[in-house]
Amino acid sequence: MNPTTDIHPDAVLESLLAKAERSNRRNNLTRMHELCRKQHEAGSRDFSLSAIGRLAEAEGIMKGRALYNARSADYKALIEAWGAFAGPPAPKAPKTLASHDYLMRIEDPAIRSIMQAIIAERDKLKAQLNVLKANTQVTVDRRPLGATVSSAPGAQPVAVLALAAQLTPSQREALQKAVSADYLEERGLKEGSHGEILNERGRTVFEVGFASAIRKVLGG
C-alpha cells in the first residue's frame, strides 16, 4: 500500500517520456496516464495492477497481464505514482450476514440468544456436511465381523463367515459351558485324554473328539 504523496503523476510522466526512445511507447505511456487520470477523477483509489490492467486492456492500450512483465516497469511506475497520489484505497465495509440482520430484529435478548445458538449450530452442521461432500468416495465394508474374503481366478470374491462368528452370544456361552471342567464335574462327568466325555463309571457319554470339536468351533 503506497502512502499519499504531493508529487503529481504529471511529473513522473514527463520523466518517463524523456527517456522513452520509441514513439509507440511514448504514446502508450500518455494513454495510460490519461486512463489513470480518469480513474482518479472518478473518485477511485484503486490503482492496483489488476484493476488498471483490465481498464488498459479494454481501452486497447496493452494486455493486462503484460503489466507484470519486466519490460513494463515504466507503466508500473506511472500507475504506482497515481496510486501514491490518490492515497490508499478506502477500507471495505465488513459484510453483514443475513442471519445477523435477522437476529438484530429480535427485540427480546433471551430469544435472540437462543436463536443465535441455533444459527451457530446450523452453521457448524453445514460445515460438517461440506466436509462429507468433499469426500466423494466412501467405501462401506458390509462384510460381517469375522468374515474373510475368498476368491478364485475369474470369479467374484466371496465373504466366508467363520463358524465362531455365526454363533449368538447365548450359543457361544452354552458351548463353552458344555466343555468346562467345573460344569462337567458338577454333573459327575469329566473329559478324557482324547476329548471324549466320560461318566463316573468311566463309560463314554460323548465320543472321542467331542470337547476338542466344540473348542475348534469356538475358535479356541
Side-chain angles (χ1 to χ4, degrees):
M1 184 180 294
N2 295 327
T4 305
T5 178
D6 293 331
I7 301 176
H8 200 282
D10 287 350
V12 178
L13 175 65
E14 291 179 7
S15 174
L16 295 174
L17 291 176
K19 69 174 185 177
E21 298 179 354
R22 299 173 58 183
S23 59
N24 183 55
R25 190 173 186 84
R26 289 195 295 270
N27 181 54
N28 284 342
L29 282 169
T30 301
R31 293 178 65 191
M32 182 71 77
H33 183 68
E34 291 305 314
L35 184 151
C36 291
R37 185 195 302 280
K38 292 179 181 178
Q39 181 84 335
H40 180 260
E41 290 175 351
S44 174
R45 288 190 286 178
D46 185 2
F47 286 88
S48 61
L49 292 183
S50 58
I52 300 302
R54 286 192 296 269
L55 295 174
E57 189 164 341
E59 292 290 330
I61 300 174
M62 62 190 305
K63 293 290 185 181
R65 61 177 177 273
L67 288 175
Y68 297 90
N69 298 336
R71 297 180 60 183
S72 299
D74 289 350
Y75 298 102
K76 290 169 63 177
L78 183 60
I79 295 169
E80 289 172 358
W82 272 106
F85 182 74
K92 294 182 180 180
K95 185 178 180 180
T96 304
L97 299 176
S99 57
H100 178 76
D101 292 337
Y102 175 76
L103 287 173
M104 291 303 100
R105 291 201 297 267
I106 301 176
E107 297 180 357
D108 190 319
I111 297 178
R112 188 189 307 141
S113 177
I114 294 173
M115 290 303 300
Q116 186 173 7
I118 293 174
I119 291 173
E121 182 65 18
R122 178 206 63 185
D123 294 341
K124 177 182 176 182
L125 293 174
K126 286 175 66 177
Q128 293 174 345
L129 179 60
N130 290 334
V131 171
L132 291 175
K133 287 180 178 179
N135 298 322
T136 55
Q137 292 185 348
V138 179
T139 302
V140 180
D141 189 350
R142 301 181 62 183
R143 292 175 298 174
L145 293 176
T148 57
V149 176
S150 176
S151 60
Q156 286 285 93
V158 177
V160 179
L161 192 62
L163 287 175
Q166 299 180 43
L167 299 175
T168 65
S170 60
Q171 289 172 340
R172 176 181 290 274
E173 184 180 352
L175 290 177
Q176 288 173 338
K177 182 183 292 186
V179 293
S180 68
D182 293 340
Y183 181 81
L184 292 172
E185 186 178 354
E186 289 176 1
R187 285 154 180 77
L189 303 173
K190 65 178 181 179
E191 182 180 344
S193 59
H194 299 291
E196 69 275 20
I197 304 299
L198 307 172
N199 61 15
E200 294 176 341
R201 298 180 181 180
R203 293 180 179 177
T204 302
V205 178
F206 295 105
E207 299 299 327
V208 172
F210 176 81
S212 56
I214 290 180
R215 293 191 181 96
K216 186 176 291 187
V217 170
L218 294 173

